[in-house]
């Protein structure tokens, strides 16, 4: 039997690539840069499976260019880059990679929180530049994290992993989520429910862990930033458009908030004008899940989902199970 034809749009760890290539005929991007959209549309024409990256905008046009496409496995937990409705309308299952990147992303959120509070990148720059000339009690001061209030917006898998880490710093944790946890889980996690405005007013650190949807686009804009304490910090490891980046630049410049730690941007990889010039913001290149261990797990899970879909089975992380029900019902 001939191997199913698959398009893989990003370079993945060698061990996972070898496994995939053993069972599929793979057309793969071998470079560490996103595949050009036109090229992707050209290469997908005869493909039955697609392993996509967050940098690929997988829309109806792309799906229509691939009449044999049977499965889209996104190598990410976020799937705002895929037009899920368009895939469902065409009966194509779509999957993501939840669970395997929770710890890595929570670690990075905490790294950004600590970096922002203790001004680590700024201090590193100053030390290298020879500005550490002597020790003095009032020099190079940051803010303490221990005992402060952390506000988590979006208490899903990653938000909860951040809450667990906050315990190690004796933080009070507030959370805001569309669905409130049951009281037993709140107690176990040691988190307190708050509405968005109260959370923004009370938190010393606000960390974002929501998916990007129509409802969360610009969830944090000028009005929300104005509610935050002037001594507080905003941490974003979710998706850039959740924050109005221009409004954030204004807030940081005017010291309406003390600082920010960002891993994601509204128009990646571009930064909002003025953002890179600010000293009170730590900027990372979208590396929340960027550990080798996690990338191996994400690639493996994407392959597992892909193969299940290609075999006509239910992919473990299917996002649109209704397409399978339709297949079963229509025999
Ligand atoms: C990365 O941003 C992901 O959604 O997995």
């Amino acid at each position: 039997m001939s191997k199913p034809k698959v398009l893989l749009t990003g370079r993945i760890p060698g061990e996972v690539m070898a496994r995939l290539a053993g069972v599929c005929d793979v057309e793969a991007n071998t470079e560490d840069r996103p595949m050009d959209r036109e090229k992707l549309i050209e290469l997908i024409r005869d493909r039955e499976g697609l392993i996509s990256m967050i940098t690929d905008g997988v829309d109806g046009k792309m799906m229509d260019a691939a009449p044999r496409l049977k499965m889209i496995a996104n190598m990410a937990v976020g799937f705002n880059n895929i037009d899920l409705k368009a895939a469902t309308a065409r009966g194509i299952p779509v999957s993501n990679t939840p669970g395997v990147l929770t710890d890595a992303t929570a670690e990075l959120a905490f790294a950004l929180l600590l970096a922002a509070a203790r001004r680590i990148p700024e201090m590193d720059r100053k030390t290298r530049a020879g500005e550490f000339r002597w020790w003095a009690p009032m020099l190079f001061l940051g803010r303490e994290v221990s005992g402060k209030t952390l506000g988590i917006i979006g208490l899903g898998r990653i938000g909860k992993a951040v809450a667990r880490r906050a315990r190690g710093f004796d933080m009070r944790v507030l959370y805001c989520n569309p669905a409130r946890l049951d009281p037993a889980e709140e107690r176990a996690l040691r988190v307190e429910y708050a509405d968005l405005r109260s959370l923004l007013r009370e938190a010393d650190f606000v960390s974002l862990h929501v998916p990007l949807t129509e409802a969360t686009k610009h969830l944090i804009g000028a009005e929300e930033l104005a509610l935050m304490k002037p001594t507080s910090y905003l941490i974003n490891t979710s998706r850039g458009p959740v924050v109005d980046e221009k409004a954030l630049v204004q807030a940081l410049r005017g010291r309406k908030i003390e600082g920010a730690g960002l891993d994601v941007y509204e128009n990646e990889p571009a930064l909002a004008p003025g953002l890179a010039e600010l000293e009170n913001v730590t900027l990372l290149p979208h590396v929340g899940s960027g550990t080798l261990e996690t990338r191996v797990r994400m690639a493996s899970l994407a392959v597992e989902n892909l193969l299940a879909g290609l075999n006509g089975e239910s992919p473990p992380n299917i996002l649109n199970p209704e397409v399978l029900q339709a297949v079963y019902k229509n025999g």
Side-chain angles (χ1 to χ4, degrees):
M1 224 173 72
S2 66
K3 292 177 178 174
K5 290 184 183 337
V6 165
L7 176 61
L8 165 67
T9 68
R11 195 168 73 87
I12 60 172
E15 61 199 88
V16 190
M17 182 62 201
R19 214 178 318 138
L20 178 66
V23 288
C24 293
D25 162 357
V26 190
E27 179 76 61
N29 181 2
T30 52
E31 290 180 62
D32 290 321
R33 57 183 299 166
M35 194 174 250
D36 176 73
R37 180 174 165 86
E38 294 315 311
K39 175 138 190 232
L40 204 163
I41 288 184
E42 183 192 312
L43 291 176
I44 205 171
R45 289 187 193 286
D46 65 340
R47 301 283 119 179
E48 289 144 84
L50 170 66
I51 299 186
S52 54
M53 308 294 134
I54 52 168
T55 41
D56 305 319
V58 184
D59 54 13
K61 184 170 175 222
M62 191 173 283
M63 295 169 204
D64 288 339
R68 301 177 61 199
L69 195 62
K70 286 207 288 207
M71 178 68 205
I72 300 171
N74 207 36
M75 191 179 132
V77 66
F79 51 90
N80 52 290
N81 60 306
I82 299 193
D83 186 339
L84 197 59
K85 268 200 196 138
T88 305
R90 289 160 180 78
I92 305 171
V94 178
S95 62
N96 65 342
T97 59
V100 293
L101 47 79
T102 304
D103 287 336
T105 310
E107 280 177 8
L108 195 85
F110 239 92
L112 276 173
L113 188 157
L114 290 165
R118 300 303 295 268
R119 302 164 59 191
I120 290 174
E122 181 194 344
M123 296 301 139
D124 176 84
R125 287 192 289 272
K126 290 191 164 144
T127 305
R128 286 170 202 269
E131 287 182 45
F132 177 29
R133 288 191 290 269
W134 45 69
W135 186 95
M138 296 309 287
L139 279 185
F140 306 129
L141 301 186
R143 288 196 190 267
E144 198 114 340
V145 170
S146 299
K148 294 283 172 63
T149 298
L150 170 64
I152 298 179
I153 301 181
L155 200 73
R157 273 179 299 263
I158 299 171
K160 286 178 187 174
V162 171
R164 284 193 290 273
R165 280 153 180 79
R167 282 194 218 151
F169 288 85
D170 296 321
M171 299 180 92
R172 173 182 180 220
V173 181
L174 302 177
Y175 79 98
C176 161
N177 203 46
R180 190 169 171 174
L181 304 188
D182 66 55
E185 195 177 5
E186 284 185 353
R187 273 195 303 279
L189 266 176
R190 285 187 241 153
V191 294
E192 297 164 44
Y193 181 79
D195 61 75
L196 182 62
R197 294 175 76 83
S198 313
L199 181 149
L200 292 169
R201 279 199 199 97
E202 283 185 50
D204 299 298
F205 299 89
V206 173
S207 192
L208 303 175
H209 300 286
V210 291
L212 175 61
T213 63
E214 279 307 312
T216 60
K217 181 158 192 260
H218 283 193
L219 184 66
I220 304 297
E223 202 183 307
E224 289 73 25
L225 290 161
L227 291 173
M228 290 174 65
K229 296 181 192 178
T231 52
S232 69
Y233 300 83
L234 179 72
I235 309 300
N236 191 9
T237 53
S238 64
R239 283 290 184 268
V242 173
V243 176
D244 177 345
E245 209 169 289
K246 277 200 195 129
L248 178 62
V249 170
Q250 293 299 324
L252 288 167
R253 195 179 274 147
R255 292 276 173 174
K256 301 278 184 247
I257 63 171
E258 182 85 48
L262 306 177
D263 184 41
V264 288
Y265 306 90
E266 214 174 329
N267 296 301
E268 281 179 31
L271 307 181
L275 189 62
E277 284 81 65
L278 295 170
E279 196 73 279
N280 56 341
V281 62
T282 298
L283 304 173
L284 295 179
H286 199 150
V287 286
S289 64
T291 66
L292 183 56
E293 298 92 323
T294 286
R295 290 286 157 83
V296 168
R297 288 195 290 263
M298 288 167 71
S300 303
L301 194 51
V303 167
E304 200 186 318
N305 278 301
L306 176 93
L307 296 179
L310 291 177
N311 286 334
E313 294 155 16
S314 179
N317 308 110
I318 188 160
L319 294 163
N320 52 351
E322 57 274 31
V323 298
L324 298 180
Q325 279 152 16
V327 169
Y328 295 137
K329 280 198 187 133
N330 302 333

